[in-house]
Amino acid sequence: MENLRIEGSPKTPSVTFSIDGRMEIKGRSIPENSIEFYKPLIDWVESYGQVAKPSTEIDVQLEYFNTSSSKCILDFFKKLETIHSAGKTNVNINWYYEQDDEDMLEAGEDYDAIINIPFKMVELDEN
Amino acid sequence: MNVSDLKISEDLVLVSFLEHKDALLKTDRILFSFCGENTMVKADEVAQEIETFLLNQGVSKKIVRAFFSILIEGIQNVRLHGEPVTKYERNAFVIVGQKGDYFLTTANMVKIDQVEKITAKIKLLNQFNYNEVKEHYMNILTEGSMSKKGGAGLGLITLYSKSKNKLEFEFKPVDHEYSLFVLKTTLNTMSYEKNDLRRDA
């Protein structure tokens, strides 16, 4: 299996998933139909589950995401939860939010409440 | 051409669009307006242009962020849920402006049998306090399924919770099949300035 790398665009975040157990999603996620964008990410995690390192760290640094993405992000986390619960790897999610962006912090807390994976909320300094 | 002349032309979408624009005073600002086919307006482009403009004007990032989300959800709703009726020259409009607070007015055609459902949905939302809207959001996020077009059923909830205001709406009958759904979302700027992120009402 190979690493997954997707360049960011004005509508979609950049994605860097590495089989060494580091994953990053960064940018804006506002496509009208998010399924198309998130399906390869979810499929990648499924395959990764077979070859996963003992520990997996995911950085999620989103500036905006629309409601279409919110559902897909949940499905992505659910897939991670599956491999985490099956004992294939120990997953940790770092959820980044800009200082002052309480809505983004709250969105992270919402996912934390739904998903059974440790979440760490990380505040970024505003430029 | 003025609004009364147009009424005879029976172009309901254009008449309604101009009525909304005419209702603005000289001191109010229009940041963007569009009247045409619902599939032609691009949410991300409009939102990003207005975001840059507002940041350059020195508007606080908190307000710009909230308004950006309103623009994305509101305009994507027009594209996703508006009926792409082609028998009329125009089937949708969008007005973004500032009348004291920033607002987004959208209009799109819906099938008449949807009117009751949408009305009930908005009336329910408009009664919710912070905790209730949060619970409603979480229920739909976890239980709801996605439509083929990519809708998550969370657009109106987001417009309501980000604007921290009641949603204003009306339906204007177009013909025996369609009705024009006009929705106005006004951002309660004050509540963001006051740092009041929990709705108490």
Side-chain angles (χ1 to χ4, degrees):
Chain A
M1 121 170 248
E2 290 182 2
N3 294 338
L4 178 69
R5 187 181 273 273
I6 302 170
E7 288 280 320
S9 80
K11 278 193 267 191
T12 52
S14 66
V15 174
T16 316
F17 287 0
S18 161
I19 47 170
D20 69 6
R22 292 289 310 188
M23 300 183 198
E24 186 191 73
I25 301 179
K26 191 176 178 180
R28 295 180 168 198
S29 185
I30 51 170
E32 207 162 272
N33 189 344
S34 300
I35 301 171
E36 218 171 273
F37 180 79
Y38 282 92
K39 189 167 185 305
L41 278 64
I42 295 168
D43 291 346
W44 190 92
V45 170
E46 184 156 16
S47 309
Y48 171 76
Q50 305 306 314
V51 297
K53 298 282 178 225
S55 109
T56 304
E57 188 103 355
I58 297 141
D59 292 327
V60 183
Q61 191 178 330
L62 292 170
E63 198 187 347
Y64 288 110
F65 62 89
N66 61 353
T67 55
S68 177
S69 301
S70 65
K71 193 90 187 158
C72 290
I73 293 168
L74 178 65
D75 290 342
F76 169 71
F77 287 152
K78 277 186 178 164
K79 188 58 82 180
L80 286 165
E81 187 183 41
T82 309
I83 61 168
H84 177 81
S85 308
K88 309 226 183 233
T89 178
N90 211 5
V91 182
N92 280 290
I93 299 173
N94 300 311
W95 182 270
Y96 292 84
Y97 65 98
E98 274 186 54
Q99 188 186 37
D100 242 28
D101 192 352
E102 287 90 349
D103 283 0
M104 192 55 80
L105 167 63
E106 206 177 307
E109 290 170 346
D110 290 347
Y111 286 122
D112 187 13
I114 304 168
I115 300 292
N116 197 17
I117 294 177
F119 269 71
K120 189 175 154 197
M121 303 299 156
V122 188
E123 187 181 288
L124 293 158
D125 285 335
E126 238 173 328
N127 350 319
Chain B
M1 198 172 355
N2 61 41
V3 175
S4 52
D5 292 338
L6 273 162
K7 278 185 177 153
I8 324 161
S9 81
E10 293 182 350
D11 189 339
L12 181 94
V13 178
L14 187 57
V15 170
S16 179
F17 170 67
L18 292 173
E19 276 173 355
H20 278 268
K21 277 181 94 166
D22 284 359
L24 298 170
L25 303 169
K26 279 188 180 147
T27 49
D28 302 330
R29 285 195 297 180
I30 293 179
L31 302 173
F32 172 80
S33 71
F34 163 89
C35 185
E37 285 176 46
N38 71 316
T39 51
M40 299 300 283
V41 60
K42 302 240 177 345
D44 56 304
E45 286 173 14
V46 176
Q48 276 161 15
E49 243 176 69
I50 290 173
E51 177 194 31
T52 307
F53 174 78
L54 294 180
L55 287 173
N56 287 339
Q57 296 273 306
V59 178
S60 88
K61 224 171 165 185
K62 221 174 220 186
I63 289 168
V64 177
R65 270 192 212 113
F67 198 50
F68 185 92
S69 292
I70 289 169
L71 294 172
I72 291 286
E73 296 305 329
I75 301 172
Q76 286 185 341
N77 270 352
V78 169
R79 288 169 55 91
L80 282 174
H81 303 298
E83 291 290 336
V85 183
T86 49
K87 64 180 167 184
Y88 299 103
E89 212 178 327
R90 304 167 185 86
N91 60 33
F93 72 78
V94 174
I95 303 171
V96 184
Q98 184 180 17
K99 191 184 171 95
D101 283 332
Y102 297 100
F103 69 86
L104 164 70
T105 303
T106 57
N108 58 266
M109 289 196 191
V110 294
K111 290 242 171 81
I112 280 184
D113 61 8
Q114 292 296 302
V115 172
E116 214 174 307
K117 196 176 136 196
I118 300 168
T119 303
K121 210 170 172 179
I122 299 178
K123 281 190 172 167
L124 179 72
L125 276 176
N126 278 344
Q127 295 169 10
F128 281 160
N129 64 25
Y130 173 81
N131 290 328
E132 288 165 336
V133 78
K134 181 81 197 180
E135 197 185 326
H136 191 58
Y137 176 90
M138 292 295 271
N139 282 341
I140 295 178
L141 179 66
T142 51
E143 311 289 333
S145 57
M146 270 183 102
S147 74
K148 276 183 191 155
K149 293 175 182 171
L154 294 162
L156 287 172
I157 303 175
T158 301
L159 291 179
Y160 178 67
S161 62
K162 293 270 182 189
S163 68
K164 300 185 191 299
N165 247 334
K166 290 194 192 306
L167 302 174
E168 295 169 59
F169 70 104
E170 62 175 331
F171 288 95
K172 295 185 174 198
V174 178
D175 54 28
H176 67 283
E177 209 180 345
Y178 297 106
S179 186
L180 186 70
F181 170 44
V182 184
L183 177 68
K184 185 174 182 186
T185 308
T186 305
L187 180 70
N188 184 344
T189 316
M190 186 94 80
S191 77
Y192 281 91
E193 282 166 351
K194 277 196 306 192
N195 203 15
D196 171 23
L197 285 145
R198 296 287 186 268
R199 196 194 296 255
D200 300 320

